[in-house]
């Protein structure tokens, strides 16, 4: 639908706009350097037929130009061919079942290898925080079928949220009612 609107706007008053563009004054020739002006006058005075030859239109060449017909189509780029080939022949991904099915509110049937769900990420981060000796990066890598660099980055840059409530130490603290 948008193409029809755009085409209508583009073609609106097309003939009048083309006629106006054609009837505009043609750009004048750029001014010549004063040293070349004298040389040109000298050459034209020596060879007056050159001036007529410059202004004359060659009918034979114009007829050749009218016979030329160009029909072009955009070539298919190799990038497009590679993308189409990649789309048609995708390799089947390997999947694994999610660990710990006690979170049934999320309906995840399978997880691609090399990836983990949010629940699994929070579980492994919590396990590593509570028992770092048993839940090492190598064990997490084997358990969840992840790459070593991904596990190291996960343990380095992500932590689980923990809430600590400190009891008031002095009697002046405001008590909730």
């Amino acid at each position: 639908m948008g193409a029809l609107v755009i085409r209508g706007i583009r073609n609106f008053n097309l003939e009048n706009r083309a006629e106006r563009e054609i009837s505009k004054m043609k750009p004048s020739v750029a001014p010549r350097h004063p040293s070349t002006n004298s040389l040109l006058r000298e050459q034209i005075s020596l060879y007056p037929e050159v001036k007529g030859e410059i202004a004359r239109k060659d009918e034979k060449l114009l007829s050749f130009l009218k016979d030329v017909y160009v029909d072009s189509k955009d070539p298919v780029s190799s990038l497009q061919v590679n993308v189409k080939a990649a789309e048609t022949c995708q390799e089947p991904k390997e999947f694994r079942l999610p660990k710990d099915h006690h979170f049934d509110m999320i309906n995840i049937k399978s997880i691609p290898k090399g990836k983990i769900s949010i629940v699994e990420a929070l579980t492994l981060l919590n396990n590593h925080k509570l028992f770092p000796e048993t839940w090492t990066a190598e064990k997490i890598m084997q358990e969840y079928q992840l790459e070593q660099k991904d596990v190291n980055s996960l343990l380095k840059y992500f932590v689980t949220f923990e809430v600590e409530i400190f009891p008031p130490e002095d009697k002046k603290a405001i008590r909730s009612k």
Side-chain angles (χ1 to χ4, degrees), residues 26-116:
K26 304 297 184 260
S28 61
V29 179
R32 294 193 169 94
H33 193 268
S35 64
T36 58
N37 264 342
S38 62
L39 288 174
L40 283 173
R41 277 192 229 120
E42 182 183 324
Q43 289 297 320
I44 289 176
S45 65
L46 290 175
Y47 306 102
E49 67 274 359
V50 171
K51 187 172 185 178
E53 200 55 39
I54 291 172
R56 184 180 63 84
K57 291 185 179 179
D58 192 356
E59 293 300 323
K60 184 179 178 184
L61 293 177
L62 284 175
S63 67
F64 287 155
L65 186 60
K66 289 178 184 175
D67 291 341
V68 172
Y69 176 74
V70 177
D71 185 22
S72 66
K73 294 182 177 138
D74 288 336
V76 178
S77 69
S78 62
L79 179 63
Q80 290 175 337
V81 172
N82 290 343
V83 168
K84 287 180 182 177
E87 288 176 356
T88 56
C89 60
Q90 282 186 343
E91 296 178 6
K93 295 182 179 179
E94 293 183 24
F95 290 94
R96 63 175 178 80
L97 293 175
K99 308 275 181 196
D100 300 331
H101 296 289
H102 60 277
F103 294 103
D104 284 334
M105 55 191 226
I106 301 174
N107 268 342
I108 299 175
K109 302 293 182 210
S110 60
I111 299 172
K113 288 189 177 179
K115 302 200 184 279
I116 56 174

Side-chain angles (χ1 to χ4, degrees), residues 83-160:
V83 168
K84 287 180 182 177
E87 288 176 356
T88 56
C89 60
Q90 282 186 343
E91 296 178 6
K93 295 182 179 179
E94 293 183 24
F95 290 94
R96 63 175 178 80
L97 293 175
K99 308 275 181 196
D100 300 331
H101 296 289
H102 60 277
F103 294 103
D104 284 334
M105 55 191 226
I106 301 174
N107 268 342
I108 299 175
K109 302 293 182 210
S110 60
I111 299 172
K113 288 189 177 179
K115 302 200 184 279
I116 56 174
S117 68
I118 297 291
V119 175
E120 290 175 337
L122 292 173
T123 304
L124 74 87
L125 286 171
N126 195 30
N127 288 343
H128 178 73
K129 185 173 82 174
L130 296 176
F131 312 107
E133 305 84 30
T134 57
W135 285 93
T136 61
E138 290 77 22
K139 181 175 179 181
I140 293 171
M141 181 184 74
Q142 292 170 354
E143 187 77 22
Y144 292 97
Q145 299 172 352
L146 299 171
E147 292 184 21
Q148 182 71 38
K149 63 179 181 73
D150 294 335
V151 174
N152 290 338
S153 298
L154 186 69
L155 296 177
K156 181 178 179 182
Y157 296 112
F158 292 94
V159 293
T160 55

